[in-house]
Amino acid sequence: MHHTKITLENGMRAITVPMKDTKSLTLLALFGTGSRFETKKTNGVSHFLEHLFFKGTKSRPRPGDISQALDDVGAEHNAFTAKEYTGYWVKAASHHFPLALDIVSDILLEPLFKEEEIEKERGVIFQEMNMYLDTPRRYVHDIFESLLYGDEPLGWEIIGTSGSLQGLSRENILTYRKSQYIGSNAVLVVAGAFQEEDALRRVEQAFVRLPSGTAKSCPPFRESKKRLSPVRLEYKKTDQTHLMVGARGFGMFDDRRYAATLLATALGGKTSSRLFQEIREKRGLAYTVSAITEQFLDTGYFSVYAGVPHQKTKEVVRRIRDEFHNVCTTGITLRELQQAKDFWRGQFAISLESS
């Protein structure tokens, strides 16, 4: 697939991916920062900042102005915060590219961060936190990562804690933004229907005021000297038990990550996988059972998730353990390996159908 990459004077990388036979485009601004770049005191600031960018700019001072401008043309927009990156995107009809670019550059370069909006959004995030606590299928992943990494940034929740969220000040937020939201730490991607030369020119003009410099790096992952508990149980009245089983794996620059991904696919990455067939199809013990790998800069993990009847929890854990043992002793078959590779070839082809 054709693409063009340029680097602006401030260090920001811009990538354009023209696509034929589509009438829309997606614009995504990514920054290489997230909750792993926080301290205990500022835990949650990456996510808080992501929310605040939408709460008014110099040219769109009211919090609803940004959503209104995009809703008026039927565009979709959102943002997300992860442990090592944060993104802001707009998907719109291709002829609205100037508006999409203007919105994304406006929120990132001219935010107001009014005190009253900060306090209102703090309340919104507390409710988001409660929503996650009421969603055990999601919350179990946070618990699992805290078991793997302990009391360090990779083990902390992206949203922060009640204490850290309450303690975040406007000064904390501005300091973090100044440290991390700079050109060399940013990538802008435009994919879809547009004139490439015109798009690159507009991007360069829009983001010329993004500061240059070097962003603060995150501390490298270090094994805890303390022995971490291998199990954590948390009780909440639900209709299912949600469980995860797994171990630390490989980082995003480790070539072994490819083998780990294929193993996860064979074990639980598709409906014909071993665990899906054994736990759901043969025994009816779960609606959802899956295996994934996660990669961070210098570490990662391999995990299996399942939502099961309370009284069948031990049986499901035992069957997952047994499948792990089988893989460790006999591996997967050549046929399973080929099927996993073909699965990802197909998934990759499908992913290229959308911007």
Side-chain angles (χ1 to χ4, degrees):
M1 177 174 284
H2 168 76
H3 70 277
T4 299
K5 174 184 173 183
I6 66 168
T7 301
L8 310 187
E9 289 187 8
N10 57 16
M12 184 182 201
R13 287 150 290 174
I15 301 171
T16 52
V17 189
M19 300 173 66
K20 296 179 179 179
D21 303 320
T22 181
K23 296 183 182 299
S24 67
L25 59 83
T26 300
L27 187 150
L28 168 66
L30 273 173
F31 290 83
T33 192
S35 60
R36 189 179 180 184
F37 295 76
E38 300 167 354
T39 65
K40 195 83 170 177
K41 179 181 177 181
T42 63
N43 182 208
V45 69
S46 304
H47 175 255
F48 204 157
L49 177 59
E50 174 224 304
H51 277 233
L52 293 174
F53 275 125
F54 292 91
K55 298 304 170 182
T57 68
K58 290 181 180 179
S59 59
R60 298 177 176 91
R62 295 179 302 173
D65 288 345
I66 294 160
S67 296
Q68 189 67 62
L70 293 168
D71 287 347
D72 285 349
V73 299
E76 299 175 359
H77 72 284
N78 212 331
F80 52 86
T81 304
K83 296 201 169 180
E84 295 178 338
Y85 55 87
T86 307
Y88 307 82
W89 62 269
V90 171
K91 184 179 179 73
S94 58
H95 60 279
H96 291 305
F97 171 64
L99 174 65
L101 179 60
D102 182 53
I103 293 283
V104 173
S105 61
D106 192 29
I107 64 173
L108 294 171
L109 298 175
E110 299 289 347
L112 295 177
F113 299 137
K114 295 179 181 178
E115 285 282 7
E116 60 268 31
E117 294 302 330
I118 291 175
E119 292 311 310
K120 283 193 289 186
E121 204 60 27
R122 196 189 309 271
V124 169
I125 296 172
F126 271 120
Q127 292 309 306
E128 183 181 359
M129 185 182 293
N130 290 334
M131 178 183 71
Y132 294 153
L133 291 173
D134 281 342
T135 314
R137 179 176 177 178
R138 182 194 185 282
Y139 184 49
V140 71
H141 287 79
D142 292 333
I143 296 174
F144 178 75
E145 290 185 355
S146 73
L147 276 176
L148 281 182
Y149 299 115
D151 188 21
E152 65 160 88
L154 280 175
W156 302 341
E157 292 185 34
I158 293 169
I159 202 170
T161 65
S162 296
S164 65
L165 180 58
Q166 190 61 55
L168 287 172
S169 66
R170 186 175 188 270
E171 182 180 355
N172 294 145
I173 293 164
L174 293 178
T175 299
Y176 178 82
R177 180 202 175 206
K178 183 178 181 180
S179 168
Q180 304 303 102
Y181 279 71
I182 58 179
S184 62
N185 205 32
V187 177
L188 187 87
V189 184
V190 186
F194 55 86
Q195 294 295 323
E196 191 169 31
E197 187 175 333
D198 176 66
L200 288 170
R201 177 182 58 81
R202 289 177 181 271
V203 166
E204 194 161 8
Q205 290 175 347
F207 282 94
V208 68
R209 290 179 294 111
L210 186 66
S212 58
T214 303
K216 175 186 173 183
S217 60
C218 64
F221 170 69
R222 292 187 176 89
E223 292 278 354
S224 175
K225 294 181 180 179
K226 296 180 180 179
R227 178 174 170 79
L228 301 176
S229 171
V231 178
R232 178 174 164 186
L233 304 176
E234 186 150 329
Y235 176 78
K236 193 175 184 72
K237 190 174 181 180
T238 60
D239 294 323
Q240 277 187 315
T241 293
H242 298 262
L243 62 92
M244 287 187 69
V245 182
R248 291 197 194 122
F250 309 118
M252 65 176 67
F253 301 108
D254 191 320
D255 286 343
R256 292 174 293 178
R257 72 190 187 278
Y258 300 115
T261 297
L262 292 173
L263 176 60
T265 303
L267 276 180
K270 50 197 175 83
T271 55
S272 59
S273 64
R274 290 189 185 187
L275 288 171
F276 195 94
Q277 288 296 313
E278 178 69 21
I279 292 173
R280 172 171 163 163
E281 298 298 278
K282 290 183 181 179
R283 305 181 188 279
L285 294 175
Y287 175 74
T288 299
V289 56
S290 60
I292 64 165
T293 59
E294 178 69 74
Q295 289 87 37
F296 300 114
L297 289 169
D298 50 2
T299 184
Y301 62 79
F302 183 107
S303 68
V304 172
Y305 161 82
V308 303
H310 300 308
Q311 67 274 19
K312 298 293 185 179
T313 302
K314 289 184 179 180
E315 179 182 353
V316 172
V317 171
R318 177 172 56 82
R319 293 193 180 281
I320 294 171
R321 181 201 63 193
D322 290 347
E323 206 54 66
F324 280 4
H325 177 74
N326 291 338
V327 165
C328 288
T329 54
T330 62
I332 63 174
T333 66
L334 289 176
R335 183 167 182 265
E336 286 177 310
L337 176 61
Q338 188 60 52
Q339 288 171 333
K341 290 179 179 180
D342 291 342
F343 173 83
W344 280 110
R345 289 189 181 99
Q347 290 289 292
F348 181 67
I350 291 171
S351 73
L352 297 178
E353 294 295 315
S354 171
S355 63

